[in-house]
Amino acid sequence: MTLFEKIIARQIPAKIVAESEDWLAFHDISPQAPVHVLVVPKKVITRVGEATPEDESLLGKLLLATQEVARALGVSNSGFRIVINHGRDGGETVPHLHIHVLGGRPLGWPPG
Ligand code: 5GP
């Protein structure tokens, strides 16, 4: 099981923000901004580039989940960024699809 599967299964603790039958949102253990939450599908999809057409609806739900997280944590109006890292050069470290939701401070662009 990947780390995030263990968090979904409550085998590893995490600070949960919101949940649905399809996804779980929890605070990143090493926050890079005042708000830094990970939204992960409960279905195992290794990374975004390996999602299939069958995952189309689930991917939409994950994006809508980021909206819900941003609202719940009060950054919807101030602004936030969502990030998906894919593979080595993308900076992916956990092989289970996750969307970072970052906010609570101005975020630089371009990313490093
Ligand atoms: P990636 O680098 O794969 O895009 O993002 C993985 C994220 O998972 C990182 O931001 C990292 O801080 C976070 N992370 C790693 N281990 C844990 C953990 O045990 N608990 C939580 N909540 N986040 C973790």
Side-chain angles (χ1 to χ4, degrees):
M1 276 170 109
T2 63
L3 176 63
F4 291 166
E5 283 178 88
K6 288 180 184 167
I7 288 177
I8 291 163
R10 308 307 205 257
Q11 290 175 10
I12 292 179
K15 290 187 197 164
I16 292 169
V17 175
E19 181 173 18
S20 83
E21 60 179 307
D22 298 302
W23 52 263
L24 184 70
F26 53 90
H27 290 277
D28 195 291
I29 204 167
S30 175
Q32 302 301 309
V35 169
H36 187 174
V37 168
L38 302 172
V39 177
V40 309
K42 292 185 176 177
K43 175 185 174 184
V44 175
I45 299 174
T46 308
R47 53 189 62 83
V48 68
E50 288 167 37
T52 68
E54 185 186 298
D55 299 317
E56 184 176 357
S57 157
L58 175 58
L59 293 173
K61 288 177 184 176
L62 296 176
L63 275 186
L64 291 173
T66 69
Q67 223 183 49
E68 186 175 325
V69 166
R71 267 196 228 109
L73 297 182
V75 295
S76 206
N77 290 332
S78 52
F80 62 97
R81 179 175 297 166
I82 59 177
V83 172
I84 301 176
N85 295 324
H86 173 110
R88 185 196 59 204
D89 285 356
E92 174 201 317
T93 59
V94 179
H96 181 123
L97 174 62
H98 48 284
I99 305 180
H100 297 257
V101 182
L102 297 145
R105 66 169 172 83
L107 298 163
W109 191 264

